[in-house]
Amino acid sequence: MIKQRNIALCIILSIVTCGIYGFYWFVCLTDDMNTAVEEQGTTGVVALLLTIVTCGFYSLYWAYKMGEKVDVLKARNGVQTSNSGIMYLILNVLGLSIVTWALLQNELNQVADV
């Protein structure tokens, strides 16, 4: 089951908790996206650990793969797809990963169970 989350609240909590809530949100985004595309990919906890161990480099790969999964979701819903993976990758390279998370949450909120 995909849970709908308030994007603004997630961003505020990530900032107020000095990123600790961001870790939780990252894990939830990964697991929810795997559920949404009905694919068993890397779990959220494993993705977080790989990101920490690789000093953030895994997050670049993660962002690209999440973008591919967003395109799969859009295609299933009959929406024209673009290469979201490149956009998410560029945002992460520029240090704007929280923007990537917000965009991903927006896509998940559209398919979430209310």
Side-chain angles (χ1 to χ4, degrees):
M1 182 170 105
I2 299 169
K3 182 179 177 187
Q4 195 167 28
R5 290 183 175 79
N6 184 317
I7 297 169
L9 183 62
C10 289
I11 292 171
I12 291 168
L13 286 173
S14 296
I15 293 168
V16 169
T17 62
C18 299
I20 294 171
Y21 185 81
F23 291 148
Y24 171 74
W25 191 20
F26 179 89
V27 170
C28 290
L29 284 170
T30 306
D31 291 339
D32 286 350
M33 188 59 76
N34 287 337
T35 301
V37 296
E38 298 168 354
E39 175 183 306
Q40 280 303 341
T42 306
T43 65
V45 173
V46 171
L48 178 62
L49 290 175
L50 286 171
T51 298
I52 292 169
V53 168
T54 62
C55 299
F57 285 109
Y58 181 80
S59 70
L60 302 176
Y61 171 77
W62 175 87
Y64 182 78
K65 294 305 282 182
M66 289 295 114
E68 287 183 345
K69 291 179 181 185
V70 165
D71 290 342
V72 168
L73 274 180
K74 286 182 177 179
R76 283 187 190 164
N77 294 326
V79 178
Q80 184 178 1
T81 63
S82 59
N83 196 345
S84 301
I86 297 295
M87 179 181 65
Y88 294 158
L89 176 62
I90 291 170
L91 286 169
N92 272 28
V93 166
L94 295 175
L96 299 171
S97 58
I98 200 161
V99 175
T100 301
W101 299 350
L103 292 171
L104 283 169
Q105 188 64 60
N106 183 54
E107 295 295 334
L108 286 169
N109 283 348
Q110 293 177 14
V111 296
D113 303 327
V114 180

